Amino acid sequence: MGPVLSRRDFLAFGAAAALLPDLASAASPTGAKLHGLSAFGDLKYPADFTHFDYVNADAPKGGTFIFSPPNWVFNQNPLTFNTLNTFVARSDAPPRMEMCFDSLMASALDEPDALYGLIAEGVTISDDRNSFEFSLRPEARFHDGSPLTAEDVAHSFKLYKQDGHPSLLLPLSQMTEAVAVDPHTFRLTFSGRQPARTILGVAGFPIVSKAYFEANPFTSANMKPPLGSGPYKVGRVVPGQTIEYERVEDYWARDLPVNRGLYNFDRIRIEFYRDRQAGFEAFKKGDVLYRQEFTARVWATGYDFPALKEGKVVKREFPAEKRPSMQSTAINERRERFRDPRVRKAIAMCFDFEWTRRNLFYGSYERAQSCFERSDYRADGLPSPAELALLEPLRGKIPDEAFGEAVIQPVSDGTGRDRKLLGAALKLLGEAGWKRAGQFVQNGKGERLTVELLVDDQDWIRIHSPWVENMKAIGIDASIRVVDSAQYTNRKLEFDFDLVTMAQSFTATPTRDEIEATFHSRAATLSGSSNLAGIADPAIDALVEAAGRAESREDLITALRALDRVLRARLDWIPNWYLPNHRAAFWDMFGFKEPKPDFGFPVEAMWWFDKDKAAAIGKA
């Protein structure tokens, strides 16, 4: 239930979907111009490579791809939009606006941690590894034909550091200089206090036009498309309902190795449906051509419509990416009543996953346990000696459970009302000072323990209602609040909620900047950050910073497993569930290369329109 959200999950966003390298490795030497960078190892593709292996380099161009996006970045909203400015925290932008902008470097989705030049044909790293000089391609152009120069790159980074969305702002906190050395040379300098791998996160940021944003306020929310340089530009727009992206026929970078075989559709159209069922009905009629299904009930029972039975629609599963994921419910610790871990644990014990899986999920989904599910960063068993070396200095400042077996959520008896678990939850509330007084528990001030689950989709009522009823059974005044998409976004921006569910995937080599935005105290008060739980703990900060200092993949695994142990013991986030694959359905009119790459699945960028298939099903 619910899409896997990713801050950096789209190929056209270049290195923002990349796996960020340890610049201390031999793969990133100083003093020489490099065509690419890799974390902890060698690059797969040489300087003279012609295209990525997972694409069809000769894919035909044409056709229209109509879909509802399964993931999005920045301030984007899959249900509605009221601005075309995707770079700031406020307002709701449509997904895939990033396809209109190029970045300095782009990622290979068949490598866990490799970047190759896009706007920049190469990069040179200074001896102290704090300065990075990018050689820009002189042919780089914006859509109006004006040259994209180092001045535009420098201006972009300055804008992001001052007023950008937290995903853009936080990684630039240690940036000291963004300079156009000459029209085709850009130098980016950091203070020396930045994590080693920060540079390749920011090397994937979208580059915008200096001239455009000198004439138009950067922080404004309007429906005027910013001037871009990428493979697509904004076409037809119906605010809140439809946006079309048109392929740029004379796109300056279409034949670069990082782009060959990609961006094949003439138009990419996104249709917005506030109601899941309405979106599904549109798909069944062919008004939407590709859909990833996030509702188990619909996947199990709804795909029996005529077009599927006639073979016009394909229903299948694709392997999920080999990237850590996290789908959990954040408990807002900015509110005093949720700061006691015993209260958070009691709330978590009321969620009966076993009953939910059997009765609502039709046996699909696995129980999530980790903040880094599906990856080597998930902690299991007892901590290793290397993990203990990080944890021991924090003893007394972190839960004792972090030193034992990795915390696992309790398994219920599957009845939906496990008396043993609910009794244990009520006992925890009593220990935390919440005593039963009639129907509800109260604290010493006579205040009820209230819990409101904030949602923006009616389907969540079906999922969360049994959880709410179990909380009520032990005296918690629990409820569900359904709000519209715009209000939901604003309340998350302002951290105005009790509990809210979020799904997120990290890159395969998470950087400190990524995990800082979700777990570090610096993000706890930053509007728009993904630290929805409001975690502000120096011990957590120390483990985040240890991950940022990792000089090998083994060091990174150790640091993130240690962090995972502490987060799971604290229960700032209640893990819920995850899928080991993508459930997808599409009208059989597309071509694609198999197998899919391991580290990304941007079908709108990799697939192509197949005229013969379309004709066979009457969609030519």
Side-chain angles (χ1 to χ4, degrees):
M1 175 70 195
V4 177
L5 311 186
S6 174
R7 293 190 305 112
R8 300 176 176 180
D9 195 30
F10 184 60
L11 181 60
F13 184 40
L19 312 173
L20 309 180
D22 167 29
L23 299 179
S25 74
S28 302
T30 62
K33 184 187 289 189
L34 307 170
H35 78 286
L37 293 163
S38 173
F40 315 129
D42 296 327
L43 293 167
K44 173 180 177 179
Y45 297 97
D48 61 350
F49 83 103
T50 59
H51 60 85
F52 293 131
D53 289 345
Y54 52 85
V55 304
N56 174 7
D58 300 315
K61 306 295 184 183
T64 299
F65 188 78
I66 310 171
F67 78 132
S68 297
N71 44 45
W72 47 93
V73 296
F74 305 144
N75 66 348
Q76 297 170 5
N77 190 325
L79 301 179
T80 187
F81 66 99
N82 50 36
T83 182
L84 297 181
N85 183 354
T86 192
F87 308 119
V88 294
R90 296 290 172 178
S91 301
D92 299 300
R96 301 304 180 262
M97 276 300 298
E98 67 275 16
M99 297 181 72
C100 300
F101 302 88
D102 284 322
S103 53
L104 290 169
M105 304 187 81
S107 62
L109 299 182
D110 55 350
E111 296 180 79
D113 41 34
L115 303 174
Y116 298 89
L118 180 48
I119 292 174
E121 61 183 359
V123 58
T124 303
I125 306 171
S126 66
D127 288 341
D128 65 4
R129 300 186 180 276
N130 293 325
S131 186
F132 305 85
E133 194 163 279
F134 293 88
S135 301
L136 309 188
R137 300 181 194 271
E139 65 269 30
R141 291 287 186 275
F142 287 104
H143 293 152
D144 65 355
S146 61
L148 190 163
T149 71
E151 289 286 351
D152 297 296
V153 181
H155 194 67
S156 299
F157 281 95
K158 291 172 184 176
L159 286 175
Y160 295 152
K161 180 173 181 178
Q162 180 174 335
D163 293 313
H165 186 276
S167 299
L168 300 165
L169 184 154
L170 281 171
L172 296 175
S173 61
Q174 296 301 323
M175 183 186 85
T176 59
E177 193 176 49
V179 176
V181 178
D182 60 45
H184 304 303
T185 307
F186 167 68
R187 185 172 63 243
L188 186 63
T189 303
F190 293 90
S191 67
R193 296 188 297 273
Q194 79 284 357
R197 296 181 296 279
T198 289
I199 180 56
L200 293 210
V202 303
F205 286 179
I207 302 304
V208 299
S209 165
K210 178 180 179 180
Y212 177 87
F213 279 115
E214 284 183 336
N216 298 272
F218 178 69
T219 57
S220 66
N222 58 56
M223 299 302 293
K224 181 180 179 180
L227 179 61
S229 62
Y232 287 89
K233 62 182 178 181
V234 174
R236 185 171 68 94
V237 174
V238 181
Q241 299 180 31
T242 302
I243 187 168
E244 277 193 0
Y245 299 103
E246 298 176 351
R247 186 169 60 84
V248 178
E249 185 65 32
D250 60 350
Y251 173 43
W252 74 271
R254 63 174 292 173
D255 294 321
L256 290 181
V258 294
N259 285 336
R260 282 197 64 199
L262 296 169
Y263 314 120
N264 303 309
F265 295 108
D266 282 346
R267 284 170 299 280
I268 295 175
R269 183 187 308 157
I270 298 175
E271 300 287 358
F272 293 78
Y273 298 95
R274 293 174 184 260
D275 178 78
R276 287 177 187 262
Q277 188 60 37
F280 184 49
E281 293 301 322
F283 173 74
K284 291 196 292 186
K285 292 188 296 183
D287 293 339
V288 171
L289 302 176
Y290 176 88
R291 173 184 176 88
Q292 285 196 41
E293 184 57 67
F294 296 105
T295 303
R297 172 182 53 82
V298 175
W299 187 250
T301 66
Y303 284 80
D304 60 352
F305 49 92
L308 189 139
K309 293 178 179 178
E310 295 165 7
K312 296 179 179 180
V313 170
V314 177
K315 176 191 178 189
R316 61 169 288 183
E317 297 184 357
F318 294 90
E321 285 67 69
K322 297 179 179 179
R323 296 167 55 178
S325 67
M326 169 182 166
Q327 182 157 317
S328 303
T329 299
I331 306 177
N332 190 355
E333 294 165 32
R334 300 170 189 85
R335 301 188 168 173
E336 185 177 355
R337 63 187 181 276
F338 300 128
R339 291 175 189 164
D340 191 313
R342 293 169 295 189
V343 172
R344 301 197 295 270
K345 187 173 182 180
I347 292 171
M349 292 172 75
C350 292
F351 173 59
D352 192 328
F353 172 76
E354 285 67 35
W355 184 92
T356 301
R357 185 177 191 269
R358 186 179 70 250
N359 291 279
L360 302 181
F361 292 163
Y362 293 82
S364 64
Y365 295 106
E366 302 297 329
R367 181 69 196 262
Q369 302 290 350
S370 169
C371 295
F372 306 108
E373 203 62 67
R374 298 188 312 201
S375 77
D376 291 338
Y377 310 121
R378 168 180 162 146
D380 286 302
L382 292 169
S384 68
E387 290 171 59
L388 287 173
L390 294 175
L391 296 172
E392 283 295 349
L394 303 174
R395 191 178 284 275
K397 302 174 183 177
I398 59 176
D400 290 341
E401 292 89 342
F403 295 92
E405 296 275 346
V407 171
I408 299 294
Q409 295 303 299
V411 177
S412 77
D413 62 9
T415 62
R417 189 65 66 90
D418 188 317
R419 293 181 178 275
K420 182 177 179 181
L421 284 180
L422 294 181
L426 182 59
K427 182 179 178 182
L428 283 171
L429 292 181
E431 293 171 358
W434 296 90
K435 306 297 184 182
R436 195 74 181 245
Q439 184 179 354
F440 299 105
V441 294
Q442 298 180 352
N443 61 14
K445 300 176 183 178
E447 299 167 332
R448 291 180 183 176
L449 177 56
T450 59
V451 172
E452 181 183 87
L453 281 151
L454 184 69
V455 302
D456 64 346
D457 190 305
Q458 292 288 333
D459 270 2
W460 285 109
I461 295 177
R462 183 176 63 93
I463 303 300
H464 285 330
S465 288
W467 189 7
V468 165
E469 292 305 312
N470 277 343
M471 283 192 273
K472 287 180 176 178
I474 64 170
I476 298 174
D477 188 0
S479 61
I480 301 172
R481 173 68 62 88
V482 185
V483 297
D484 64 40
S485 180
Q487 186 179 355
Y488 183 78
T489 298
N490 287 333
R491 288 186 63 172
K492 285 205 302 179
L493 281 171
E494 298 299 333
F495 306 120
D496 181 18
F497 57 84
D498 291 345
L499 271 66
V500 68
T501 294
M502 183 184 79
Q504 175 173 326
S505 65
F506 300 94
T507 57
T509 308
T511 63
R512 194 185 85 179
D513 298 314
E514 286 184 82
I515 54 179
E516 182 178 277
T518 306
F519 306 121
H520 198 282
S521 59
R522 282 212 309 132
T525 57
L526 184 61
S527 177
S529 84
S530 52
N531 187 351
L532 298 177
I535 304 171
D537 187 325
I540 295 293
D541 294 349
L543 292 171
V544 169
E545 288 155 13
R549 292 192 303 269
E551 295 186 359
S552 68
R553 188 169 297 279
E554 290 73 24
D555 289 348
L556 183 62
I557 289 172
T558 295
L560 290 181
R561 285 180 179 174
L563 175 63
D564 189 40
R565 289 180 186 280
V566 178
L567 290 168
R568 288 160 64 176
R570 286 174 50 93
L571 212 65
D572 309 283
W573 301 80
I574 301 172
N576 44 42
W577 52 82
Y578 70 94
L579 272 176
N581 46 45
H582 295 286
R583 296 183 300 211
F586 50 92
W587 286 75
D588 193 13
M589 52 191 291
F590 305 115
F592 52 89
K593 190 171 182 179
E594 296 197 79
K596 64 174 282 294
D598 286 336
F599 302 103
F601 193 44
V603 296
E604 60 272 46
M606 296 190 301
W607 289 16
W608 61 89
F609 177 71
D610 187 313
K611 292 189 295 185
D612 293 337
K613 285 185 174 182
I617 64 170
K619 285 281 188 178

